[in-house]
Amino acid sequence: MLDELTNNLAVILRDEDLQKYAGDAFGNFVKAVAFLDMGASVDGIKDVKDFVFYIPNALFWDKMQRYLFGTFKCYEEQVKLSSKFTKDNPNYIKFVKRQIHLIDKMDADEKIDYFANLTRYFLLHDMSIALYYKLANFISICTPEELSYIKDCNCDQKFSLNTMISSLYCYGLFEQVEREQGGADYVLSGFAKALKSSSLNFDEGLYTGKCFLTYDDVEPFSIAEPMPLETLNNLFENPDGGGH
C-alpha cells in the first residue's frame, strides 16, 4: 500500500501543479494520491477520511499539506525536485518515500515548517543529499523549543552551560571550547550552524549566512586527541615536569 501511494505522490509532484490543490481543494490532492485520479473531486463526499480509510490518521495529511505548500511555491520548483533525478531513476521514488517517513515522524507544525525550509534550500542550492538528510534528522529529534533556541543563537556567541545546551550537546549541536583561564564555554557546532543557515533561519533564499552544501562545509566537531604514549610516559616519570 505504501509503495503505491509513494509512486502516485511521485507522479503528481513531477507532473502536476500543486497550486491547483491549494486551500479546500487539497482534498482532491489526497484523493489523487490515493487513486492516482488526476481529475479527482470530493464533491458529494462529506469527509475526506471516507476515501482514505487506510491512512493511519488525518494528521499525516495535515502535515503533508503544510510541508508541500511550504516547500513548493510554484510548479517550476516542483520541476527542480524531479530534475535532480531522471524520470526512470528509482532514486526519485526512494527520495519521495523517505520524505513520507520523515514527515510522519515530525510532531509539531514548527518542525514541518523547518523541514519545508530545508527542502527549499536543497532544491534552490546544490546541497548534497547526505547533508540534507542529516539536517532533516536533527529537526526530527529536537523539540520545537530546542530548535527555537538554536534559531535565536548568534553563531559566534559563547555560552555557559545550562540544561538546554546540555541537551543539545548530546545531539552534537553544541560543542565545548576551553577557556584560556580554565573552565569551558559552549558554542554552536558546525552542524548547528548548517541547520541555521539552511533551515531555521532560511527565508526565501535571502539568508546571508555561510552556504553549507556538503559535509566538507561543516566544521568538524572539536574532539580532544589522545596524549601520545611518549608524552604520557614522560609525565609519569617526571610528574613535576623535571624541575627536581
Side-chain angles (χ1 to χ4, degrees):
M1 185 66 70
L2 179 58
D3 286 342
E4 180 182 353
L5 293 174
T6 301
N7 291 336
N8 292 353
L9 177 59
V11 169
I12 293 171
L13 290 179
R14 188 184 64 212
D15 298 334
E16 291 281 299
D17 185 353
L18 281 181
Q19 297 305 312
K20 72 179 185 180
Y21 295 116
D24 293 339
F26 189 72
N28 293 344
F29 174 84
V30 178
K31 186 177 179 183
V33 173
F35 303 119
L36 196 55
D37 179 2
M38 297 304 188
S41 173
V42 291
D43 293 344
I45 299 178
K46 295 180 181 180
D47 192 337
V48 170
K49 293 191 291 296
D50 289 345
F51 58 80
V52 288
F53 57 89
Y54 48 81
I55 300 299
N57 55 66
L59 181 60
F60 169 80
W61 286 108
D62 179 72
K63 292 189 289 186
M64 177 64 80
Q65 180 178 22
R66 191 178 189 99
Y67 169 75
L68 291 175
F69 287 97
T71 300
F72 305 109
K73 305 299 184 182
C74 60
Y75 180 59
E76 287 71 22
E77 291 178 358
Q78 292 175 232
V79 173
K80 287 182 181 180
L81 173 62
S82 57
S83 68
K84 288 181 176 287
F85 312 90
T86 59
K87 282 194 175 185
D88 57 351
N89 190 338
N91 287 334
Y92 175 55
I93 301 297
K94 287 170 60 178
F95 177 84
V96 173
K97 186 172 185 177
R98 198 161 179 181
Q99 302 307 97
I100 292 174
H101 283 299
L102 283 166
I103 291 168
D104 190 49
K105 290 195 300 182
M106 302 289 178
D107 58 3
D109 286 346
E110 297 94 329
K111 291 189 181 186
I112 295 295
D113 293 338
Y114 292 142
F115 186 35
N117 280 350
L118 178 63
T119 307
R120 280 183 59 75
Y121 188 96
F122 171 75
L123 294 176
L124 298 175
H125 299 78
D126 193 22
M127 173 181 272
S128 73
I129 199 165
L131 181 58
Y132 169 73
Y133 282 134
K134 179 67 173 179
L135 299 179
N137 277 287
F138 279 128
I139 295 172
S140 178
I141 65 175
C142 289
T143 67
E145 293 76 17
E146 288 171 336
L147 294 171
S148 179
Y149 187 88
I150 296 173
K151 180 179 181 180
D152 293 338
C153 286
N154 186 303
C155 284
D156 300 319
Q157 189 174 355
K158 293 183 178 180
F159 301 84
S160 297
L161 183 62
N162 60 36
T163 304
M164 180 69 77
I165 290 175
S166 176
S167 175
L168 293 168
Y169 179 83
C170 293
Y171 299 149
L173 292 170
F174 269 85
E175 61 181 318
Q176 188 181 76
V177 292
E178 294 184 9
R179 299 173 185 159
E180 291 184 2
Q181 67 276 23
D185 290 314
Y186 292 81
V187 298
L188 290 174
S189 71
F191 278 117
K193 293 175 182 178
L195 188 62
K196 283 175 64 67
S197 177
S198 59
S199 174
L200 306 183
N201 297 94
F202 178 64
D203 183 17
E204 299 295 329
L206 301 179
Y207 183 68
T208 57
K210 177 181 176 180
C211 191
F212 293 87
L213 301 178
T214 71
Y215 267 65
D216 290 338
D217 296 321
V218 179
E219 186 176 349
F221 198 76
S222 178
I223 301 175
E225 296 184 2
M227 184 179 295
L229 182 60
E230 181 180 352
T231 302
L232 186 62
N233 288 336
N234 185 60
L235 182 63
F236 281 114
E237 292 171 1
N238 303 284
D240 59 355
H244 293 290

